[in-house]
Amino acid sequence: MNVKQFSEACERNREPILAVLETALADKKKVLEIGSGTGQHAVYFARHLPHLSWQTSDLQNNHASIAAWQEEAGLSNVLPPFELNVGGEWPEQAFDAVFTANTCHIMAWPEVVAMFAGVSRALAVGGLFILYGPFNYGGQFTSPSNQRFNEYLLAQAPHMGIRDFEEIQRLAEKEHMTLLSDHEMPANNRLLIFSKSS
Ligand SMILES: C[S@@+](CC[C@H](N)C(=O)[O-])C[C@H]1O[C@@H](n2cnc3c(N)ncnc32)[C@H](O)[C@@H]1O
């Protein structure tokens, strides 16, 4: 069985995400990725940002694919995945930045809440939380395709769904993280960057 999974979406969004990460992570060293998925993003970003140490993580069922991408790339700055369920135990380690893509609409809302709390504990003041994915603004979908995607998610599982940017921002503020920037991404996605303020 081929354990190395492939995501078409990762191939499409990795360049525009990298263009922002190049600047945002220029002075950072240790990055934690939550929900590394196939492992494609980790390998691509670590290859193009060699000053970073990129720690992959996910639920156990994705570890084989992440490890396969990591081993094939042979990059010393991609670290093998550890198990991180945001609603469970978090590592003791501190990180300069946390990156996560397409996870907020997959996790149940209490898990999103737990993720923000865990990220805040893992970051020092000035550390960054960088989230990629679709978000609603002012209670509205930003495109008909996002609305269809949300209907698809809800049909899969009622705990999923595109989150409101304002709710995410409130959660961040509660966890002492301030919005630094909000970048438009292709296909009606956004890249949100929060900074740990205290
Ligand atoms: C749609 S996939 C995105 C994967 C990858 N980041 C990408 O952009 O292709 C959602 C990811 O969130 C992870 N995930 C879901 N619930 C989680 C939880 N409670 N804790 C940590 N990761 C979780 C899944 O295992 C999966 O890797």
Side-chain angles (χ1 to χ4, degrees), residues 6 30 33 103 111 119 122 151 190-191 196 198:
F6 179 79
K30 281 184 71 178
E33 182 181 14
T103 50
E111 292 175 331
V119 168
E151 284 159 11
R190 313 293 303 186
L191 190 71
K196 176 86 182 278
S198 62

Coordinates of all heavy atoms in Angstrom, one line a residue, residues 6 30 33 103 111 119 122 151 190-191 196 198:
F6 N -1.5 12.2 -1.4 CA -1.3 13.4 -2.2 C -2.5 14.3 -2.2 O -3.6 13.8 -2.3 CB -1.0 13.0 -3.7 CG -0.8 14.1 -4.6 CD1 0.4 14.8 -4.6 CD2 -1.8 14.6 -5.4 CE1 0.7 15.8 -5.5 CE2 -1.6 15.6 -6.3 CZ -0.4 16.3 -6.3
K30 N 11.8 27.9 15.2 CA 11.1 26.7 15.4 C 9.6 26.8 15.1 O 8.9 27.6 15.8 CB 11.2 26.3 16.9 CG 12.5 25.7 17.3 CD 12.5 25.2 18.7 CE 11.6 24.0 19.0 NZ 11.6 23.6 20.4
E33 N 3.7 22.7 13.0 CA 2.5 22.6 12.1 C 1.5 21.7 12.8 O 1.8 20.5 13.2 CB 2.9 22.0 10.8 CG 1.7 22.0 9.8 CD 2.0 21.4 8.4 OE1 3.1 20.8 8.2 OE2 1.2 21.6 7.6
T103 N -7.8 23.4 8.9 CA -8.2 22.6 10.0 C -9.4 23.2 10.8 O -10.2 22.4 11.3 CB -7.0 22.5 11.0 OG1 -6.5 23.8 11.3 CG2 -5.9 21.6 10.5
E111 N -12.8 22.0 19.7 CA -11.4 21.7 19.3 C -10.7 22.9 18.8 O -9.5 23.1 19.1 CB -11.4 20.6 18.3 CG -11.9 19.2 18.8 CD -11.9 18.2 17.7 OE1 -12.1 18.5 16.5 OE2 -11.7 17.0 18.0
V119 N -2.1 26.7 21.4 CA -1.1 27.5 20.6 C -0.6 28.7 21.5 O 0.6 28.9 21.5 CB -1.8 28.0 19.3 CG1 -0.9 29.1 18.7 CG2 -2.0 26.9 18.4
A122 N 2.0 27.5 23.8 CA 3.2 27.1 23.1 C 4.0 28.2 22.5 O 5.2 28.0 22.2 CB 2.8 26.1 21.9
E151 N -21.9 23.4 2.7 CA -23.0 22.5 2.7 C -22.5 21.0 2.6 O -23.0 20.1 3.3 CB -23.9 22.8 1.5 CG -24.8 24.0 1.7 CD -25.4 24.6 0.5 OE1 -25.2 24.0 -0.6 OE2 -25.9 25.7 0.5
R190 N -8.1 32.5 2.9 CA -7.4 33.6 3.6 C -6.2 33.0 4.4 O -6.1 31.8 4.7 CB -8.3 34.3 4.7 CG -9.7 34.6 4.3 CD -9.7 35.7 3.2 NE -9.1 37.0 3.6 CZ -9.2 38.1 2.8 NH1 -9.9 38.0 1.7 NH2 -8.6 39.2 3.1
L191 N -5.2 33.9 4.6 CA -4.1 33.5 5.5 C -4.1 34.5 6.6 O -3.9 35.7 6.4 CB -2.8 33.5 4.8 CG -1.6 32.9 5.5 CD1 -1.8 31.4 5.6 CD2 -0.3 33.2 4.8
K196 N 1.3 36.7 19.4 CA 1.1 36.6 20.9 C 1.6 37.9 21.5 O 2.7 38.3 21.4 CB 2.0 35.4 21.4 CG 1.9 35.2 22.9 CD 0.8 34.3 23.3 CE 0.7 34.1 24.8 NZ 1.6 33.1 25.3
S198 N 0.9 39.0 25.0 CA 1.3 39.0 26.4 C 1.2 37.6 26.9 O 0.6 36.7 26.3 CB 0.4 39.9 27.2 OG -0.9 39.4 27.2

